[in-house]
Amino acid sequence: MHAHIHPQPGILEIALYQGGSSKIAGREDAVKLSSNENPFGPGDLARMAYARAGHDLHRYPSTDHARLRAALGAQFALDPSRIICGAGSDEIISFLCQAYAGPGEEVLYSEHGFLMYRISALAAGAKPVVASERDRTTDVDALLASVTARTKLVFIANPNNPTGTMIPIEEVARLAEKLPPRVLLVLDGAYAEYAEGYDGGAELVDRRENVVMTRTFSKLFGLGGLRVGWGYGPQHVIDVLNRVRGPFNLSNVQLDVAEAALGDAGHIARSLNENARLRDWLAEKLNGLGVATDRSHANFVLARFRDAAQAEACNAALLADGLIVRQVASYGLPEALRITVGDESACRRVAHVIGTFMETQG
Ligand SMILES: *Cc1c(COP(=O)(O)O)cnc(C)c1O
């Protein structure tokens, strides 16, 4: 801390976010399974849009994102005037905290919730508050019991990262219904597309004045490096968020590539099918090896070991074989490893290395 120049309260409590590592020193063939990225990358339509966008870099981008919002509205059957786009859904989360929570107020989320909720709450000067989960699953009653007169925002990711579990929409609706009217419920739908038959909570947003949904192009659409996410909410909330959003928060490259990715039905279907097939295959393999998993509704599997030491040793074995997965002690799960569902060869390698590792365990 500097002797004289001090940041706002809360800022120095923020621990820097650690992204999933992507390299192992001295290894060219490392496979990154630590950030829940689509193993197939962006589709051809997105790649072509990216190449085309290079011709217009001297132009300022659209300030209202009308084309991308219209495309999102058409794709997901939503009202485009109630969509807001941001630099990843992280930016939407940050707008929400900035606009609705401040000093003396609380932002509530669950035990194994996404680290950005805490970071954005602290950055806004608000107090992060954690409610317990039940068997690594969002517990609506525990959240409701943690609401105080100071609570302004409640975040839940459904499906959740890093657990992969989700709660039924009826439970989400019960939470929205029981919250005091001054509390805004945020449904983080970063993995919504992977959950069969789930709309991310869009229909609930349409029915209520206190629910917002966030979505992203970073996971299923294979565009984590591009940084595009969006939110859908009641008009009064979207109008507020647009006031804190910078007019040029997305470049024309981001806008054009995201729009193209949305229209690539072939790439989307292939990514979804392969993920579902390999996720179930990997989970079954792990369970057969004595490594427990919860049923995942996302593009990763949370592998649970006997204890933190065994998880650490298994992580070392995976690294020795060029496989990078995510340690999740910072999410309160030191005995677990989060493994992104890669392509078939990556999944087979993971199963092989963990199988060999488990044979060495008593
Ligand atoms: C990956 C992820 C996001 C998406 O972040 P972006 O900023 O859109 O890349 C949001 N929430 C959760 C829970 C995630 O895992």
Side-chain angles (χ1 to χ4, degrees):
M1 168 121 61
H2 192 269
H4 304 292
I5 300 176
H6 297 171
Q8 291 294 308
I11 305 286
L12 291 175
E13 286 173 52
I14 298 175
L16 289 189
Y17 183 88
Q18 305 279 337
S21 24
S22 56
K23 289 207 168 57
I24 303 176
R27 267 202 99 114
E28 294 297 314
D29 63 342
V31 179
K32 184 185 179 199
L33 303 170
S34 55
S35 295
N36 299 340
E37 295 150 346
N38 182 331
F40 306 112
D44 288 339
L45 294 186
R47 290 173 208 253
M48 289 188 304
Y50 180 74
R52 272 197 312 274
H55 299 290
D56 284 320
L57 291 178
H58 58 305
R59 304 284 182 208
Y60 267 90
S62 142
T63 58
D64 64 8
H65 312 149
R67 273 211 347 247
L68 180 56
R69 288 188 296 104
L72 286 165
Q75 177 80 10
F76 297 105
L78 307 174
D79 173 2
S81 70
R82 293 193 283 121
I83 294 175
I84 179 170
C85 303
S89 44
D90 283 358
E91 194 179 32
I92 309 294
I93 293 168
S94 160
F95 291 159
L96 283 160
C97 288
Q98 206 187 323
Y100 290 102
E105 297 179 326
E106 296 175 353
V107 173
L108 178 63
Y109 51 90
S110 67
E111 191 180 348
H112 307 301
F114 192 39
L115 292 175
M116 288 311 298
Y117 309 150
R118 173 183 165 83
I119 292 176
S120 293
L122 287 170
K127 180 178 168 199
V129 177
V130 178
S132 59
E133 295 187 17
R134 184 186 293 257
D135 296 332
R136 296 162 303 281
T137 306
T138 300
D139 181 342
V140 166
D141 293 310
L143 284 165
L144 288 169
S146 304
V147 170
T148 73
R150 297 171 296 280
T151 308
K152 293 299 294 288
L153 287 164
V154 175
F155 283 95
I156 65 170
N158 206 37
N160 189 38
N161 167 24
T163 56
T165 59
M166 73 184 295
I167 57 172
I169 192 66
E170 294 77 19
E171 272 294 276
V172 180
R174 184 165 74 86
L175 176 59
E177 180 74 38
K178 293 267 174 71
L179 284 171
R182 77 195 135 70
V183 180
L184 190 56
L185 173 63
V186 185
L187 304 176
D188 181 336
Y191 303 95
E193 293 89 353
Y194 291 108
E196 243 171 275
Y198 179 54
D199 68 354
E203 190 265 342
L204 188 64
V205 171
D206 283 338
R207 267 196 289 133
R208 302 196 55 93
E209 287 291 302
N210 67 336
V211 183
V212 182
M213 164 179 86
T214 64
R215 304 284 287 264
T216 185
F217 283 90
S218 299
K219 306 286 158 55
L220 173 65
F221 295 94
L223 295 172
L226 190 70
R227 313 303 306 131
V228 187
W230 52 285
Y232 182 63
Q235 195 71 60
H236 71 98
V237 173
I238 299 303
D239 289 348
V240 164
L241 300 184
N242 270 320
R243 288 167 199 266
V244 296
R245 178 178 70 80
F248 303 115
N249 65 324
L250 292 181
S251 68
N252 7 13
V253 183
Q254 288 167 295
L255 292 165
D256 291 356
V257 175
E259 186 182 342
L262 207 52
D264 200 338
H267 184 67
I268 293 169
R270 171 169 175 250
S271 301
L272 280 175
N273 289 338
E274 282 295 276
N275 181 71
R277 179 176 77 85
L278 292 165
R279 174 187 61 200
D280 297 347
W281 180 87
L282 182 60
E284 211 165 290
K285 272 275 176 208
L286 292 175
N287 296 344
L289 295 168
V291 178
T293 64
D294 297 311
R295 167 143 169 64
S296 168
H297 298 271
N299 67 339
F300 55 85
V301 170
L302 186 73
R304 281 184 284 128
F305 294 85
R306 191 175 55 214
D307 51 25
Q310 193 180 47
E312 181 75 41
C314 186
N315 187 56
L318 288 161
L319 278 177
D321 211 77
L323 296 164
I324 307 169
V325 304
R326 184 66 156 255
Q327 294 186 281
V328 282
S330 57
Y331 283 94
L333 294 160
E335 75 288 3
L337 296 175
R338 191 193 68 194
I339 306 168
T340 302
V341 177
D343 62 12
E344 177 152 355
S345 98
C347 289
R348 286 185 182 279
R349 270 175 73 183
V350 166
H352 177 75
V353 173
I354 296 183
T356 308
F357 169 78
M358 289 304 284
E359 278 172 19
T360 70
Q361 301 294 298

